[in-house]
Amino acid sequence: KSFASFWESECSSMKHALVEMDTHNTGRVPLAKFYGSALESDWRFGESEAYLRELGALDESSTWYGKQVIISNYIQATSNCIVAAPHYSVCCVNDCEAHLEEIEEAIKAPSATPEQLLAVVGNMSSHMLLDDAVPSLTRSLKQQLQEIAASHDGTVPIHGRLFAQWLHYVFPRECPFPHKAGVASLVTPMEYGDGYIASQEDMVKAAAEVSNTTNLTAVDKEELQWMSQWSPEEELVVGPKLQAPWEASSYLNVAAALLLAGSLLFATVGRSAGGRKKDVGGLLLPTYGKRCC
């Protein structure tokens, strides 16, 4: 318990430092600021650009800010796991799980309408906002939720990639951006090799560009196209309807029935022809018997 508390305090400290650099509450920190902080005082922010990209913690879609570190993805990355064994890792807590759990408890179904979800999420609080303020459900966020529902016959699967992506933009500092399968990896610094850490020269070069982003502090978040990383590809953890074997297509039912009938027929013929002597050579179904001697 004491070990977990210690590491969680380290995670919180690291996240607080990143949040202070997130002036627009987009859940992102310009790479220039990220390396600038590492050069000035915070030794923790030194992963190389290539390694950040491998971890899925780098957003390169913004034409305003350029390359940015995604706070929630960075905190959850394996580079910040204090223990990384072959079968388990000890990492920072995923703050988004509490939000999803609250949604699951309220919806009590695998999917919901946009109206239901907006009513639930609109009353949730974020501890990363001042005074636990409710999230700002902007017009663009409401429109994105409607588009997700339109692609799923009017409802939103709450365990799909698109809804996870929507939650990321509602709680950008708490919910990680869900990359498509195969884009990000869980490779540890040791597995990645020496290139996981940025060189002093690369950090100085990147930090020199910080002046280009400081001028954007007065620009509204919506004007900065902060949802530029949004992608329309869906990925579901499970299908919308699980089928039992007897609910499969009629063709599979017929084929299975014929196979079973044929097996029983051969078994019956085999027993009749052999009398008391068991001839299992031609049976389609396996037989089991005790061995003596």
Side-chain angles (χ1 to χ4, degrees):
K1 183 176 181 180
S2 59
F3 175 77
S5 301
F6 160 74
W7 188 240
E8 186 54 32
S9 67
E10 289 295 308
C11 294
S12 298
S13 173
M14 183 165 47
K15 186 170 186 175
H16 180 72
L18 291 170
V19 166
E20 285 190 332
M21 293 184 274
D22 178 20
T23 56
H24 281 97
N25 189 29
T26 62
R28 286 156 172 74
V29 174
L31 190 62
K33 284 186 177 182
F34 183 79
Y35 284 147
S37 175
L39 291 170
E40 291 174 6
S41 58
D42 208 321
W43 54 270
R44 293 171 293 190
F45 305 143
E47 289 89 345
S48 68
E49 181 181 320
Y51 186 43
L52 289 171
R53 185 179 298 112
E54 178 73 20
L55 295 173
L58 195 64
D59 179 1
E60 303 178 78
S61 64
S62 174
T63 56
W64 287 89
Y65 271 120
K67 297 170 183 177
Q68 303 174 89
V69 176
I70 311 172
I71 295 176
S72 49
N73 289 63
Y74 177 77
I75 295 296
Q76 288 290 298
T78 48
S79 59
N80 291 314
C81 298
I82 194 170
V83 176
H87 303 294
Y88 70 93
S89 299
V90 178
C91 309
C92 298
V93 172
N94 185 349
D95 293 326
C96 194
E97 290 181 355
H99 293 315
L100 185 58
E101 183 178 346
E102 187 173 343
I103 294 171
E104 290 172 336
E105 180 64 25
I107 298 300
K108 291 183 171 60
S111 61
T113 64
E115 292 73 23
Q116 289 175 305
L117 291 169
L118 289 172
V120 173
V121 176
N123 290 318
M124 294 169 62
S125 62
S126 169
H127 68 269
M128 294 306 297
L129 297 176
L130 295 177
D131 301 321
D132 288 335
V134 296
S136 175
L137 296 176
T138 61
R139 181 176 57 83
S140 58
L141 282 171
K142 293 178 180 178
Q143 180 180 348
Q144 291 289 7
L145 194 62
Q146 292 288 348
E147 291 180 3
I148 297 174
S151 64
H152 290 287
D153 298 325
T155 60
V156 178
I158 63 176
H159 297 109
R161 177 185 172 273
L162 287 180
F163 184 63
Q165 188 175 215
W166 188 79
L167 276 183
H168 165 72
Y169 285 106
V170 175
F171 303 103
R173 294 171 173 175
E174 300 166 27
C175 295
F177 180 85
H179 293 282
K180 290 176 289 186
V183 171
S185 74
L186 299 176
V187 61
T188 64
M190 185 175 295
E191 293 169 339
Y192 191 81
D194 295 338
Y196 87 91
I197 197 75
S199 66
Q200 185 84 358
E201 180 183 355
D202 288 339
M203 285 195 288
V204 169
K205 183 178 178 181
E209 301 176 3
V210 71
S211 59
N212 297 331
T213 61
T214 53
N215 297 328
L216 300 174
T217 54
V219 182
D220 184 75
K221 183 169 69 173
E222 292 296 320
E223 295 180 25
L224 291 174
Q225 300 177 339
W226 73 293
M227 294 177 66
S228 57
Q229 200 177 8
W230 182 279
S231 61
E233 292 83 8
E234 177 68 292
E235 292 177 3
L236 298 175
V237 177
V238 293
K241 179 183 179 183
L242 295 179
Q243 286 187 324
W246 53 85
E247 295 178 326
S249 67
S250 58
Y251 294 104
L252 291 178
N253 281 339
V254 172
L258 290 175
L259 179 61
L260 180 60
S263 301
L264 293 175
L265 177 61
F266 277 110
T268 303
V269 172
R271 285 196 300 267
S272 299
R276 295 184 179 181
K277 181 181 179 181
K278 294 184 179 179
D279 181 11
V280 300
L283 296 185
L284 295 181
L285 295 179
T287 59
Y288 302 92
K290 294 182 179 179
R291 288 186 179 183
C292 66
C293 308

